[in-house]
Amino acid sequence: FRNSKKIIQAIENLVITNEDKAIELKSLSERYQQIITKNEFRDVLFSKSYQKPTLVERVLFLLISPIGLYGWLNNLLPFLLPNWLAENKIKDFGFRSSIKAATALLLFPLFYLLQTTISIFILPEWWMVGVYFISLPITFFMGVWWRRKIKRFTAFGRWNAMKEMIEIQEAIGYRKEIVA
């Protein structure tokens, strides 16, 4: 938040003191944003502070993958529906996070009860139904972590494969100019 305020203040000062430089900065920012959006990259991949995934992180990912996949699949609908609803049905951007939170607060317990009810007819023992019910919220967090790691690893892999391309080199140059 503080960094954002500093950046906003610096841009406002630039607009006042050097309008031509501010227009050039805007143009660079738009070109940079266009490239990273087109290639589905996040700005963090272009920063010097970005650290590639470590060996420990990759091994931990592999070990947790079965539980993460289980958690992601069992929580997929109540996780995606609030996002879909907010993005497609709510026009005011400011209310989207509130709608997501409220909808998720209602949907997760309903889906857990529905899934557990269905599991009564599938699983042979009552204790298995209980373990399944308890596992749903616990594995949700592992599923979210697992999904974030997949996104991070695939983005890093694509970054490594594409970083020598002219367009990506241009984006690196644009970012350096913007930061300077």
Side-chain angles (χ1 to χ4, degrees):
F1 177 74
R2 288 185 186 129
N3 287 341
S4 293
K5 283 179 68 173
K6 286 179 184 176
I7 291 169
I8 290 168
Q9 185 63 47
I11 292 170
E12 286 174 348
N13 289 340
L14 185 63
V15 168
I16 293 167
T17 59
N18 190 343
E19 191 176 340
D20 291 339
K21 189 73 174 169
I23 291 169
E24 183 184 335
L25 179 64
K26 181 179 185 245
S27 177
L28 281 173
S29 298
E30 287 171 348
R31 285 185 278 171
Y32 173 71
Q33 189 62 45
Q34 215 173 27
I35 293 171
I36 67 171
T37 301
K38 175 185 163 195
N39 291 290
E40 297 179 10
F41 288 135
R42 291 178 47 218
D43 177 62
V44 70
L45 282 168
F46 291 81
S47 74
K48 289 182 181 179
S49 65
Y50 180 77
Q51 297 175 351
K52 69 179 186 175
T54 64
L55 180 62
V56 171
E57 193 176 10
R58 292 174 193 193
V59 169
L60 186 60
F61 171 78
L62 288 174
L63 293 173
I64 291 179
S65 281
I67 299 168
L69 178 61
Y70 169 86
W72 179 249
L73 291 175
N74 273 290
N75 290 282
L76 188 61
L77 283 175
F79 184 76
L80 292 179
L81 281 175
N83 290 327
W84 178 85
L85 178 70
E87 300 298 324
N88 294 303
K89 301 296 180 187
I90 307 301
K91 303 275 188 249
D92 189 347
F93 187 78
F95 286 115
R96 288 184 180 172
S97 62
S98 300
I99 294 298
K100 287 179 188 179
T103 308
L105 197 60
L106 293 170
L107 282 180
F108 273 95
L110 289 174
F111 268 88
Y112 289 171
L113 288 173
L114 177 65
Q115 288 172 275
T116 303
T117 302
I118 292 170
S119 75
I120 291 170
F121 300 105
I122 297 171
L123 298 173
E125 301 288 335
W126 282 101
W127 67 268
M128 292 177 174
V129 174
V131 168
Y132 177 71
F133 177 72
I134 291 169
S135 76
L136 291 172
I138 294 169
T139 60
F140 164 76
F141 296 104
M142 294 175 98
V144 170
W145 179 87
W146 177 77
R147 182 72 176 119
R148 284 184 182 150
K149 291 300 173 194
I150 286 177
K151 284 184 172 184
R152 181 168 185 241
F153 293 159
T154 54
F156 183 73
R158 283 187 308 106
W159 164 256
N160 263 344
M162 297 173 68
K163 69 182 176 187
E164 299 304 321
M165 291 175 57
I166 293 170
E167 185 179 52
I168 302 303
Q169 289 299 312
E170 285 175 357
I172 291 169
Y174 294 155
R175 188 179 194 285
K176 284 180 183 174
E177 285 184 61
I178 291 166
V179 169

